[in-house]
Amino acid sequence: YDPHTPAVLPDLNLEIPPGTVTAILGPNGAGKTTLLHLILGWLKPQAGTIFLDGKPLGDYSRNELGRRIGLVPQNEQVAFDYSLLDFALFGRTPYLRPLEMPGPEDFAIAQKSLERIGLGNLSQRSIMALSGGERQLGLIARALAQQPRLLLLDEPTSHLDLGNKARLIQLLKRLNSEGVTVLFTTHEPEVASAFATHLILMREGK
């Protein structure tokens, strides 16, 4: 966003059809993560408009976006010693009023999200004690607890071994069959080809 440097995403124009699994494939530095942050509303485009369900992204409140869009970042620093269940409960924030505590339904949804990723038996484990792959799955559980209609994942398989990578692909296939639109970035062509229905190739922001 320095006006003296080239645009990060010049003249970008694309549509993500609902109900699809779209892979954004490209090398590091292509602009994939920036695109996800624009879709989330974390960054604002200097030109052009982003629409969600036909409505400009800026017309949604933060809570409305939180109920529609979930993000699984490539990595995230966790500063406090949360249990895995407490961490997944953060996904329920868009459904709560300010300072409202999660209720039984929120706990049940968070626990179910852990079970869906295969970590239901570790719900009381400290997130600091998890392996890198388990922590990545915890990020996915938090996003699932949001019950989003659009799930964004930034390099979701980068920290996973082969077994967990296969488990994640099967989970995303199930979510898509339930009506969730999935959009993920990757630099691994074999991951994109494993289950994506649509493919966006990016290079140097184009």
Side-chain angles (χ1 to χ4, degrees), residues 12 17 44 51 61 66 71 75-76 79 84 91 95 116 127 136 138-139 160 168 170 172 199:
L12 184 71
K44 296 188 184 302
F51 294 92
S61 70
L71 171 71
N75 51 58
E76 182 176 309
L84 186 54
Y95 298 89
R116 295 196 75 170
I127 197 163
Q136 183 73 5
L139 292 170
L160 301 181
L168 173 61
Q170 290 305 313
L172 294 178
L199 182 65

Side-chain angles (χ1 to χ4, degrees), residues 1 7-13 38 43-51:
Y1 287 97
V8 177
L9 298 168
D11 195 27
L12 184 71
N13 186 18
L38 284 163
L43 297 175
K44 296 188 184 302
Q46 293 178 332
T49 307
I50 300 170
F51 294 92

Side-chain angles (χ1 to χ4, degrees), residues 158-187:
S158 59
H159 301 292
L160 301 181
D161 58 27
L162 286 176
N164 280 327
K165 189 178 292 190
R167 182 194 301 178
L168 173 61
I169 289 172
Q170 290 305 313
L171 171 62
L172 294 178
K173 284 181 177 179
R174 284 202 307 275
L175 288 172
N176 181 242
S177 70
E178 295 165 8
V180 177
T181 302
V182 177
L183 175 64
F184 70 99
T185 68
T186 185
H187 62 271

Side-chain angles (χ1 to χ4, degrees), residues 1-205:
Y1 287 97
D2 182 339
H4 303 294
T5 59
V8 177
L9 298 168
D11 195 27
L12 184 71
N13 186 18
L14 59 92
E15 180 178 356
I16 309 298
T20 58
V21 178
T22 300
I24 305 174
L25 181 63
N28 293 334
K32 303 187 300 295
T33 299
T34 299
L35 178 57
L36 292 189
H37 289 177
L38 284 163
I39 294 170
L40 279 162
W42 289 2
L43 297 175
K44 296 188 184 302
Q46 293 178 332
T49 307
I50 300 170
F51 294 92
L52 177 63
D53 292 333
K55 179 178 171 181
L57 201 65
D59 290 353
Y60 290 92
S61 70
R62 293 307 310 170
N63 272 3
E64 286 175 328
L65 287 177
R67 293 171 189 157
R68 287 170 169 80
I69 307 176
L71 171 71
V72 179
Q74 187 171 353
N75 51 58
E76 182 176 309
Q77 296 297 320
V78 180
F80 298 100
D81 194 15
Y82 299 109
S83 72
L84 186 54
L85 178 59
D86 285 339
F87 187 74
L89 272 170
F90 283 120
R92 301 302 300 161
T93 303
Y95 298 89
L96 302 175
R97 297 186 299 274
L99 302 181
E100 181 184 6
M101 295 295 290
E105 182 181 4
D106 301 304
F107 276 91
I109 290 170
Q111 180 65 36
K112 183 178 179 182
S113 74
L114 292 175
E115 290 168 0
R116 295 196 75 170
I117 61 165
L119 297 183
N121 61 327
L122 300 181
S123 62
Q124 299 306 314
R125 178 81 58 88
S126 165
I127 197 163
M128 300 295 193
L130 300 177
S131 68
E134 288 169 338
R135 190 175 296 193
Q136 183 73 5
L137 291 171
L139 292 170
I140 295 168
R142 182 184 64 183
L144 294 182
Q146 288 177 243
Q147 299 179 309
R149 305 314 301 157
L150 170 61
L151 182 60
L152 310 178
L153 305 102
D154 193 8
E155 299 280 357
T157 60
S158 59
H159 301 292
L160 301 181
D161 58 27
L162 286 176
N164 280 327
K165 189 178 292 190
R167 182 194 301 178
L168 173 61
I169 289 172
Q170 290 305 313
L171 171 62
L172 294 178
K173 284 181 177 179
R174 284 202 307 275
L175 288 172
N176 181 242
S177 70
E178 295 165 8
V180 177
T181 302
V182 177
L183 175 64
F184 70 99
T185 68
T186 185
H187 62 271
E188 301 176 274
E190 67 276 12
V191 173
S193 66
F195 69 110
T197 61
H198 291 63
L199 182 65
I200 297 168
L201 296 176
M202 288 189 67
R203 182 180 178 186
E204 297 178 353

